[in-house]
Amino acid sequence: VDEFGLIAACFKPLSKGYSGSLNLTDDAAIVSLPAGQELVVTTDAISAGVHFLGNEEPALIARKLLRCNLSDLAAKGAAPLAYFLNVMLPTDTTPEWVHGFADGLRQDQAEYSIHLAGGDTIATKGPATFSMTALGVIPAGKMLRRCSARPGDIIVVSGTLGDSALGLISLRGAAGDEYLINRYLLPEPRLALGKKLLGLANASMDISDGLVQDLGHICEESKVGATIRRPLLPLSKPAAAMIKNDEKLWDKIVGGGDDYELLFTVPASKKQEIGALAAKLDLPLTVIGEIIVGDSVQLLDENNKTVPLANKGYRHF
Amino acid sequence: VDEFGLIAACFKPLSKGYSGSLNLTDDAAIVSLPAGQELVVTTDAISAGVHFLGNEEPALIARKLLRCNLSDLAAKGAAPLAYFLNVMLPTDTTPEWVHGFADGLRQDQAEYSIHLAGGDTIATKGPATFSMTALGVIPAGKMLRRCSARPGDIIVVSGTLGDSALGLISLRGAAGDEYLINRYLLPEPRLALGKKLLGLANASMDISDGLVQDLGHICEESKVGATIRRPLLPLSKPAAAMIKNDEKLWDKIVGGGDDYELLFTVPASKKQEIGALAAKLDLPLTVIGEIIVGDSVQLLDENNKTVPLANKGYRHF
């Protein structure tokens, strides 16, 4: 594989549409900002055998990586601008694989109006590994934070919870549910929602490590507690069916992670705006509990009893 | 290893001093820019066994990674602002190793006035791998490019060439030269020089893939050719001594890479400014040839004969 030829063939076309990329012909990219705007910058890395199986279609690996970064931008209320990508590949990687990977990026770039601005392709003696840094823009001072939830806020989540964790079980099992598997492979960054949360939500983040753990992050940074109610948690039909067969799977709903739905808090006085927003975006927005004075997350079951939290979320080590 | 505890202990202190890092407590960082400034963004990845040996002191691995990114900013004339770091570690990595790595960053952050703004720590089933994205600031429209060399420009390099490539040979051999090994392990980003090149140099980049290959990049992007003269190439004393013993090592001088010196072109009319600048910075700046009408790099020896270029530089695959 000729590295420079491969980069030119696969990645240069992805930089068209963002002039600051300089068509990937220089050591660095240029990023300029309109007056009154700030950059929101997020970065993530994934490695085969840990964060993805490794045998997925390369296009799907690329799209999920991009979407996970976009999900962070969505959670902060930012609009996508550009991204940087480091691709670390075993030396036996085929050109077809790289083309497939780049093609996945191409598809999602068009869908989410973002372009490649720079990066590096290197060899590694380990499994395929990728690192992405995504830039978004936002009016100065408006970024949605984790640290600004207030007692009395209602806690809201978008979409449905646990699909991705159950999808991964499906993918590993014999009779997989296609809907759940797709939710695992291709999360949907909630960019339109995030934008609408500016001026509405007090605190916001995306759920990547699991509902309970991520809500714990909001509580820790905001110095508050939270009560959430299991009967209120939004489930897809396939997820509800699996839970009905095996109640232990609730652990996956509240702690499985990889949801990439938004988790945000809103002053109770603005509760009715949530219903209107859900209708406008055609996206379920569900109130699952409330922020309280305290320092921990409490999950209540159907009988208002505290559920012991066995799986507090995804630990990276 | 408790991931969140480790990150807090090792990396949070590195984010102090850059308010946009939000002390690493949120999903993303905020980057704002003074009016009239642009961001210069560069990114690099390194993997154990390919880009570094793996048994170096963790502090040295960290410092070289940071310095290589700073070298790109230097080559573009930018001032360091902040960096993002993804750390991909085998699960048997010890906390001591991570502390050592972070300590290396701490040392160089102080030296180069840059801070950690965000990142991710993940597990990998492969060797230790790192990805860094560095941000610099520059007056809008002033970034030094590869594409703007002009026939008649003189070609200048900073410092001495080939030390790093010879240092790597030293490191692998029995009787290593300490000066050369240090040049391999700890390159010196030429930030003060880069800043001074704004308004002086026509084109600029740093030498990471080897003099001939990197000069080839300038020629390709600028649509020019270049003639460089081997007797003019600046060598350190230990490098000159090795060359005297083994003339084949010239290949390492012109193609070994990892120099992290600046390679730039200047209108011939400004030649005397180079001497003054070298004196001011206390850094050798050596004219090694000239940009010509053409499309390739020609290396001439002591007798003005063309040297066949066996090693055209570092290929990543």
Side-chain angles (χ1 to χ4, degrees):
Chain A
V1 174
D2 163 30
E3 186 209 9
F4 294 101
L6 189 68
I7 291 173
C10 291
F11 292 113
K12 274 193 184 177
L14 300 176
S15 73
K16 295 239 162 94
Y18 184 67
S19 65
S21 73
L22 309 173
N23 204 22
L24 307 188
T25 60
D26 216 303
D27 307 83
I30 301 173
V31 177
S32 49
L33 275 177
Q37 301 281 307
E38 286 177 330
L39 279 181
V40 172
V41 185
T42 181
T43 189
D44 266 314
I46 57 171
S47 191
V50 181
H51 308 89
F52 58 101
L53 303 173
N55 60 359
E56 295 95 335
E57 287 287 324
L60 287 175
I61 298 169
R63 293 171 74 189
K64 182 165 181 178
L65 174 61
L66 181 56
R67 286 166 180 232
C68 292
N69 277 274
L70 288 170
S71 179
D72 277 324
L73 295 183
K76 304 292 101 181
L81 178 67
Y83 68 96
F84 294 81
L85 174 65
N86 286 325
V87 174
M88 296 152 256
L89 297 174
T91 45
D92 62 356
T93 305
T94 63
E96 290 69 32
W97 199 96
V98 180
H99 280 281
F101 186 87
D103 197 57
L105 293 172
R106 186 188 55 73
Q107 288 176 58
D108 275 3
Q109 286 192 184
E111 183 162 350
Y112 297 109
S113 302
I114 191 167
H115 295 92
L116 179 66
D120 202 6
T121 307
I122 67 162
T124 171
K125 295 192 171 174
T129 301
F130 306 92
S131 171
M132 184 175 284
T133 303
L135 314 183
V137 288
I138 199 161
K142 297 294 183 197
M143 189 179 96
L144 296 166
R145 300 291 310 276
R146 293 181 178 182
C147 61
S148 38
R150 296 289 166 262
D153 283 1
I154 53 172
I155 301 168
V156 188
V157 293
S158 64
T160 53
L161 297 173
D163 295 335
S164 179
L166 298 179
L168 182 57
I169 294 174
S170 275
L171 200 58
R172 284 172 169 158
D177 179 274
E178 205 180 329
Y179 174 84
L180 296 175
I181 290 172
N182 191 55
R183 288 275 286 162
Y184 167 75
L185 292 174
L186 273 184
E188 190 78 45
R190 302 302 187 187
L191 289 157
L193 172 60
K195 214 170 162 184
K196 294 288 185 188
L197 293 183
L198 295 176
L200 175 59
N202 273 347
S204 170
M205 69 182 296
D206 71 333
I207 306 174
S208 56
D209 292 342
L211 171 66
V212 168
Q213 185 169 307
D214 285 328
L215 184 53
H217 291 316
I218 285 181
C219 288
E220 188 182 346
E221 299 305 332
S222 300
K223 301 188 190 347
V224 296
T227 301
I228 52 177
R229 292 158 207 282
R230 203 166 67 179
L232 298 180
L233 301 184
L235 301 181
S236 66
K237 275 183 191 167
M242 282 179 77
I243 288 281
K244 210 173 171 182
N245 281 334
D246 182 359
E247 289 230 329
K248 282 201 209 94
L249 291 175
W250 272 117
D251 264 9
K252 295 289 175 188
I253 305 294
V254 302
D258 240 9
D259 290 293
Y260 302 105
E261 294 294 346
L262 298 196
L263 168 67
F264 53 100
T265 82
V266 173
S269 61
K270 295 183 176 174
K271 189 170 180 175
Q272 63 211 42
E273 292 182 42
I274 297 301
L277 185 55
K280 191 173 177 180
L281 296 173
D282 193 20
L283 173 69
L285 298 177
T286 308
V287 178
I288 62 167
E290 56 276 335
I291 296 293
I292 58 173
V293 175
D295 59 8
S296 62
V297 176
Q298 187 182 35
L299 176 66
L300 301 180
D301 70 7
E302 293 68 10
N303 304 311
N304 273 333
K305 284 194 175 158
T306 299
V307 179
L309 294 169
N311 182 349
K312 294 198 174 182
Y314 180 74
R315 291 268 158 171
H316 300 270
F317 276 88
Chain B
V1 175
D2 163 29
E3 185 209 7
F4 295 101
L6 189 68
I7 291 173
C10 292
F11 293 112
K12 274 193 184 179
L14 300 176
S15 73
K16 296 238 162 94
Y18 184 67
S19 65
S21 73
L22 309 173
N23 204 21
L24 308 188
T25 60
D26 216 304
D27 307 84
I30 300 173
V31 177
S32 48
L33 275 177
Q37 302 280 308
E38 285 178 330
L39 279 181
V40 172
V41 185
T42 182
T43 188
D44 265 313
I46 56 171
S47 192
V50 181
H51 308 88
F52 57 102
L53 303 173
N55 60 0
E56 296 95 336
E57 287 288 325
L60 287 175
I61 298 169
R63 293 171 76 189
K64 182 166 181 178
L65 174 61
L66 181 55
R67 287 165 180 234
C68 291
N69 277 274
L70 289 169
S71 179
D72 277 324
L73 295 183
K76 303 292 101 181
L81 178 67
Y83 68 96
F84 295 81
L85 174 65
N86 285 326
V87 175
M88 296 153 258
L89 296 174
T91 46
D92 62 356
T93 305
T94 64
E96 290 70 33
W97 198 97
V98 180
H99 280 282
F101 186 86
D103 197 56
L105 293 173
R106 185 189 56 71
Q107 288 176 57
D108 275 2
Q109 286 193 183
E111 183 162 351
Y112 297 109
S113 301
I114 191 167
H115 296 91
L116 179 65
D120 202 5
T121 308
I122 68 162
T124 172
K125 295 192 172 174
T129 300
F130 306 93
S131 170
M132 185 176 282
T133 302
L135 313 183
V137 290
I138 199 161
K142 297 295 183 197
M143 189 179 96
L144 295 166
R145 300 290 310 276
R146 293 181 178 182
C147 61
S148 38
R150 297 287 167 261
D153 284 1
I154 53 174
I155 301 168
V156 189
V157 293
S158 64
T160 52
L161 296 174
D163 294 335
S164 179
L166 298 179
L168 182 57
I169 293 174
S170 276
L171 200 58
R172 285 172 169 155
D177 179 274
E178 206 180 329
Y179 174 83
L180 297 175
I181 290 172
N182 191 55
R183 289 274 287 162
Y184 167 75
L185 292 173
L186 273 185
E188 190 78 46
R190 303 302 187 186
L191 288 158
L193 171 61
K195 215 172 162 182
K196 293 288 184 189
L197 293 183
L198 295 176
L200 175 59
N202 274 347
S204 170
M205 69 181 296
D206 71 331
I207 305 175
S208 55
D209 292 343
L211 171 66
V212 169
Q213 186 168 306
D214 285 328
L215 184 53
H217 291 316
I218 285 181
C219 288
E220 188 182 345
E221 298 306 333
S222 298
K223 300 188 192 343
V224 296
T227 301
I228 51 177
R229 292 157 207 283
R230 203 166 66 179
L232 298 179
L233 301 184
L235 302 181
S236 66
K237 274 184 194 169
M242 282 179 77
I243 288 281
K244 211 173 172 183
N245 280 334
D246 181 0
E247 288 231 332
K248 283 202 209 93
L249 291 175
W250 272 118
D251 263 11
K252 295 289 177 190
I253 305 293
V254 301
D258 240 8
D259 290 293
Y260 302 106
E261 295 294 346
L262 298 195
L263 167 67
F264 54 100
T265 82
V266 173
S269 61
K270 295 184 176 174
K271 190 171 181 176
Q272 63 210 42
E273 292 183 40
I274 297 301
L277 186 55
K280 189 171 177 182
L281 297 173
D282 193 20
L283 173 69
L285 298 177
T286 309
V287 178
I288 61 168
E290 56 276 336
I291 297 293
I292 58 172
V293 175
D295 59 7
S296 63
V297 176
Q298 188 183 33
L299 176 65
L300 302 180
D301 70 8
E302 292 68 10
N303 305 312
N304 272 332
K305 283 195 176 159
T306 299
V307 180
L309 295 167
N311 183 349
K312 296 198 173 183
Y314 181 74
R315 292 268 158 172
H316 299 270
F317 276 88

